[in-house]
């Protein structure tokens, strides 16, 4: 019903900070005046200082990388959300672009989303070898997220960088989506200064 879903979910969570990046902005349906958007969101209980949505090179459906700088008790944490393409070539290019974009910033970072591929593939291995990100679910038994209701694949991820400790990784069962949600508790390492570059 053309509700602002990001705003609605944030309100349900009791979080006051959120950003949304539209990767598709479609013409209204016949007989309607409202445009239709499709994209990614970041919802936070901590203030978001700034955000950008960068289109990734895509074949078919446009994909993007939503980036927010979240102020966690005075420390800037770079948070990224994405939804990669359906073919290997597209995902490989998109991973390269994500590595380039995320490497512009120092300090703690979190990268999450639907990557549409499993951990052993070349695309995920390129991310792990070409950046400081680690898979927070590495070593967790059967962190499968797709398809619902009988998941057999891990294609959704929370990657974390240096300066972050992880715990309590888990997959939740719900039929609210065609993917199962994943949760990781993160804690910033005690560092005296965390700097970042970029605009």
């Amino acid at each position: 019903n053309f509700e602002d879903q990001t705003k609605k979910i944030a309100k349900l969570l009791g979080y006051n900070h959120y950003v949304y990046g539209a990767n598709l902005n479609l013409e209204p349906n016949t007989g309607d005046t409202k445009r239709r958007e499709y994209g990614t969101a970041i919802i936070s209980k901590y203030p978001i200082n700034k955000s950008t949505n960068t289109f990734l090179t895509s074949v078919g459906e446009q994909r993007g990388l939503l980036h927010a700088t979240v102020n966690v008790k005075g420390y800037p944490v770079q948070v990224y959300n994405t939804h990669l393409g359906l073919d290997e070539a597209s995902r490989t290019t998109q991973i390269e672009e994500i590595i380039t974009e995320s490497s512009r910033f120092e300090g703690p970072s979190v990268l999450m989303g639907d990557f549409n591929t499993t951990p052993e593939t070349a695309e995920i291995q390129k991310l792990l070898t070409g950046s400081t990100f680690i898979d927070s679910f590495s070593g967790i038994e059967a962190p499968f997220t797709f398809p619902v209701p009988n998941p057999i694949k891990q294609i959704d991820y929370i990657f974390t960088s240096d300066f972050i400790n992880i715990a309590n990784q888990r997959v939740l069962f719900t039929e609210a989506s065609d993917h199962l949600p994943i949760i990781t508790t993160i804690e910033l390492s005690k560092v005296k200064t965390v700097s970042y570059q970029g605009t």
Side-chain angles (χ1 to χ4, degrees):
N1 297 319
F2 295 94
E3 292 183 85
D4 184 336
Q5 294 183 46
T6 305
K7 181 179 180 180
K8 185 173 184 178
I9 293 170
K11 184 176 180 180
L12 288 170
L13 291 170
Y15 291 175
N16 296 320
H17 311 285
Y18 55 89
V19 291
Y20 172 75
N23 298 321
L24 297 180
N25 190 333
L26 306 175
E27 295 289 337
N29 284 319
T30 303
D32 204 340
T33 60
K34 298 176 182 176
R35 297 186 68 85
R36 299 165 293 142
E37 292 184 346
Y38 179 77
T40 52
I42 295 172
I43 301 171
S44 173
K45 67 178 180 179
Y46 296 105
I48 295 174
N49 291 343
K50 59 185 176 181
S51 67
T52 58
N53 188 49
T54 302
F55 285 167
L56 301 174
T57 301
S58 303
V59 175
E61 185 176 291
Q62 180 63 59
R63 307 294 179 159
L65 177 69
L66 181 62
H67 170 211
T69 300
V70 179
N71 183 341
V72 181
K73 299 180 180 180
Y75 289 103
V77 178
Q78 310 307 320
V79 179
Y80 303 88
N81 190 11
T82 193
H83 181 192
L84 298 190
L86 298 177
D87 65 280
E88 181 179 351
S90 293
R91 290 191 299 267
T92 299
T93 300
Q94 291 160 0
I95 288 289
E96 291 170 350
E97 293 171 342
I98 290 171
I99 291 171
T100 298
E101 176 64 21
S102 62
S103 68
R104 295 172 54 236
F105 297 86
E106 297 177 349
S109 298
V110 179
L111 167 64
M112 57 192 144
D114 174 3
F115 283 69
N116 273 317
T117 193
T118 52
E120 75 284 354
T121 58
E123 307 97 279
I124 297 299
Q125 293 307 306
K126 177 182 285 288
L127 175 66
L128 296 176
T129 59
S131 72
T132 63
F133 286 114
I134 64 167
D135 178 3
S136 65
F137 279 76
S138 179
I140 302 297
E141 184 178 355
F144 301 147
T145 59
F146 184 82
V148 177
N150 298 305
I152 58 172
K153 296 179 180 180
Q154 178 190 1
I155 62 173
D156 302 278
Y157 300 85
I158 301 172
F159 296 101
T160 56
S161 72
D162 298 334
F163 308 110
I164 289 179
N165 299 319
I166 54 177
N168 303 319
Q169 303 95 309
R170 58 201 185 277
V171 179
L172 300 183
F173 183 80
T174 172
E175 294 187 349
S177 172
D178 60 336
H179 294 235
L180 295 181
I182 55 177
I183 295 177
T184 298
T185 299
I186 68 171
E187 178 183 18
L188 298 184
S189 299
K190 292 186 181 296
V191 291
K192 290 184 178 180
T193 59
V194 177
S195 63
Y196 64 96
Q197 301 171 341
T199 58

